[in-house]
Amino acid sequence: MNFDFSDLTIASAQAAMERGDYTSEALVSALIARIAEKDAEIGAYLTVDEGYALDQARAADAARAEGRQGPLLGIPIGIKDLLNVEGQPCTCASRILEGYASPYDATAVARLRDAGVVFLGRTNMDEFAMGSSTENSAFRVTRNPADTERVPGGSSGGSAAAVAAGEAMATLGTDTGGSIRQPAAFCGCVGLKPTYGRVSRYGLTAFASSLDQIGPMTRTVRDSAILLGAMAGQDPMDSTSLDVPVPDYCAALTTDLTGVRLGLPREYFVDGMDAGVLARINEAVEICRKLGATIVDVSLPHTEYAIAVYYVVATAEASANLARFDGVRYGLRAEGATDPIDMYGKTRAQGFGPEVKRRVILGTYVLSGGYYDAYYLKAQKVRTLIRGDFEKAFEQCDAILTPTTPTPAFKVGENINDPLKMYLNDVFTATANLAGIPALSVPCPVAGSELPVGLQILGPAFGEELVLRVGHAYQSKVEEGN
Ligand code: GLN
């Protein structure tokens, strides 16, 4: 059986399996062979459990033989290594969780399992999802399949690289400040961060609980719609998941944007942006105009504070969430400690990498007596202003278009010793997390050796249908060659 890994999608593989062209077992075997061939160079996966994946594939094939159908039946997917999959490792790319196996499925994972998904393996990431390049993984560096001298982005860099290298047709990532969209943009795939509360966070190892969301990383917008539909919806195990009906996201996908008002926020088109990124986004805006959309100027005046606010709120929450990794219950316990306090300190000193330590220290500082009001409380107030900016903008437009990142993928090693420069990567993505709104990154067409560029589409809370519709219309037009 020959597989064309460059354009295999969930939808096309499902159609092929329904026709009987191949089985899930054959598809999974082919992907495992592809991973064996490519992953020494790319480094997208931390673990691939071949036997586990093939057992699930055979079960899906047996269910199909008995008449079961469904868009995800027998579809293999890679899972970021901070989402719990029962019985599988869940290291969060950290030494502190080396050897840990999950006792349960995350709700998003359980819902995909019920839909017939095959779990292929665990994708690499920045340790505890802190980073923009996947260089903060304690285990391996992931390389960008478009140019292996460059980073895949982060923190879901393994998930993006797996899709881009044909080592998966879809993966799950998580996004706290851009970790789905930025790597999707850098690697040339689609990435969706849903509305806060759309997908349950139960079983997602928390980084910043008020910002984290799970989302799909795929080749097409349609595949993201399929995965979101299967994962979304209220969950009694996550009190922040909301009781909002889950629409048929695929039914919302049209190829026409007549009557849709798309806003261009002037604060996202600033000096210092890469010229190639700007050119690709301007072309994308023109394509949307040709599809019938009306383009309007909007303003998001508090954008300039987003990075500062994000790095106060995210680190504050991280310092609390990561307190649970102390050598008592999970993973690593340092040897030779003289008492419990000594054991906590030694375990955390040995188990956490430098970026995680930096964040815990920063987060503890902004929450400490005397600084809480000046930093944390102030940041929460500015967060409200950022959310208000979007509410006002969405009175004038239905969705907003921006670049996903100010530059294309940078070189491995280029920013790793300059945390501030690394943090500036999140300038266009962290706002959606602070506001809790959905945001999609769709690849722009690039010529020859040009690096991938992502178009970001932002919508109002629970506006995933429209965001996906705009992304699908754009991607369809691009694929038919304008
Ligand atoms: N790059 C951002 C950070 O380092 C975002 C990470 C994320 O979304 N998980 O915090």
Side-chain angles (χ1 to χ4, degrees):
M1 188 74 233
N2 277 330
F3 289 90
D4 181 356
F5 292 104
S6 61
D7 58 27
L8 197 62
T9 64
I10 292 177
S12 69
Q14 192 54 251
M17 289 192 286
E18 272 168 23
R19 282 195 304 269
D21 293 356
Y22 48 79
T23 59
S24 174
E25 186 180 357
L27 175 61
V28 170
S29 303
L31 279 164
I32 288 171
R34 172 81 174 177
I35 294 167
E37 173 201 328
K38 296 280 296 183
D39 213 45
E41 186 191 12
I42 301 298
Y45 285 90
L46 288 174
T47 46
V48 176
D49 188 336
E50 189 173 333
Y52 179 75
L54 286 169
D55 281 349
Q56 296 168 76
R58 284 189 281 264
D61 289 332
R64 190 185 304 279
E66 282 170 17
R68 184 167 169 199
Q69 289 180 320
L72 291 166
L73 181 62
I75 295 291
I77 283 179
I79 307 282
K80 187 177 181 181
D81 205 36
L82 83 177
L83 291 164
N84 285 281
V85 177
E86 190 181 344
Q88 293 290 302
C90 184
T91 67
C92 303
S94 181
R95 294 265 173 228
I96 212 160
L97 283 172
E98 208 171 0
Y100 177 77
S102 300
Y104 68 102
D105 276 343
T107 298
V109 167
R111 288 184 180 179
L112 294 183
R113 192 190 290 284
D114 289 346
V117 163
V118 173
F119 300 108
L120 203 48
R122 315 307 313 264
T123 56
N124 197 16
M125 54 184 282
D126 286 300
E127 186 175 4
F128 286 105
M130 296 171 183
S132 305
S133 67
T134 311
E135 291 163 295
N136 294 334
S137 167
F139 303 116
R140 68 191 302 193
V141 169
T142 302
R143 296 190 174 264
N144 190 323
D147 174 352
T148 52
E149 298 283 290
R150 292 178 188 266
V151 301
S155 64
S156 313
S159 292
V163 172
E167 295 180 41
M169 63 190 96
T171 49
L172 292 190
T174 61
D175 192 311
T176 305
S179 277
I180 288 176
R181 292 160 286 154
Q182 185 255 18
F186 277 13
C187 291
C189 54
V190 173
L192 171 68
K193 182 202 87 75
T195 305
Y196 186 78
R198 179 73 291 187
V199 176
S200 167
R201 293 180 296 107
Y202 180 69
L204 149 63
T205 312
F207 162 9
S209 311
S210 78
L211 301 163
D212 298 340
Q213 269 290 295
I214 301 168
M217 304 180 75
T218 57
R219 214 155 272 146
T220 64
V221 175
R222 179 176 298 282
D223 282 359
S224 279
I226 292 170
L227 282 171
L228 178 65
M231 294 188 290
Q234 198 186 21
D235 172 18
M237 300 304 280
D238 173 6
S239 61
T240 65
S241 69
L242 291 168
D243 185 14
V244 175
V246 181
D248 179 348
Y249 291 112
C250 288
L253 306 178
T254 64
T255 50
D256 172 82
L257 296 179
T258 306
V260 176
R261 296 166 307 163
L262 297 175
L264 296 184
R266 64 186 72 108
E267 294 80 3
Y268 284 62
F269 293 84
V270 288
D271 289 346
M273 209 160 96
D274 178 85
V277 171
L278 187 59
R280 298 294 84 75
I281 300 305
N282 286 335
E283 287 160 15
V285 171
E286 281 320 303
I287 290 174
C288 292
R289 203 195 297 273
K290 276 195 211 149
L291 289 166
T294 311
I295 309 296
V296 296
D297 284 325
V298 295
S299 176
L300 299 165
H302 297 95
T303 301
E304 64 175 301
Y305 305 112
I307 289 291
V309 170
Y310 170 79
Y311 278 94
V312 171
V313 173
T315 57
E317 294 183 16
S319 71
N321 277 324
L322 270 60
R324 62 171 63 84
F325 302 106
D326 56 7
V328 177
R329 289 177 70 184
Y330 312 102
L332 181 79
R333 176 176 299 175
E335 306 279 332
T338 50
D339 58 50
I341 301 290
D342 190 37
M343 191 269 285
Y344 303 150
K346 285 200 168 106
T347 300
R348 290 166 69 84
Q350 288 171 19
F352 289 146
E355 183 61 24
V356 172
K357 287 177 183 157
R358 186 179 293 125
R359 306 260 181 136
V360 169
I361 290 167
L362 196 59
T364 307
Y365 179 75
V366 300
L367 289 175
S368 59
Y371 295 103
Y372 181 91
D373 288 2
Y375 295 111
Y376 185 69
L377 208 62
K378 177 73 104 358
Q380 293 292 18
K381 288 178 181 168
V382 183
R383 181 176 185 177
T384 303
L385 295 174
I386 290 171
R387 184 177 300 137
D389 282 357
F390 280 104
E391 280 162 11
K392 281 199 206 91
F394 287 127
E395 288 168 8
Q396 292 160 47
C397 63
D398 304 304
I400 290 174
L401 301 182
T402 78
T404 306
T405 58
T407 66
F410 44 90
K411 292 233 164 84
V412 174
E414 191 177 325
N415 290 345
I416 195 68
N417 295 319
D418 187 344
L420 204 56
K421 211 168 154 215
M422 193 71 99
Y423 297 171
L424 287 173
N425 259 285
D426 310 322
V427 60
F428 296 154
T429 47
T431 47
N433 304 75
L434 292 167
I437 60 175
L440 176 72
S441 182
V442 183
C444 299
V446 289
S449 62
E450 263 178 332
L451 293 165
V453 170
L455 168 71
Q456 181 173 234
I457 305 160
L458 301 136
F462 292 93
E464 278 85 358
E465 282 172 286
L466 183 68
V467 165
L468 290 164
R469 177 181 160 201
V470 174
H472 174 72
Y474 170 68
Q475 192 176 41
S476 306
K477 190 75 184 161
V478 162
E479 273 169 14
E480 76 190 31
N482 278 288

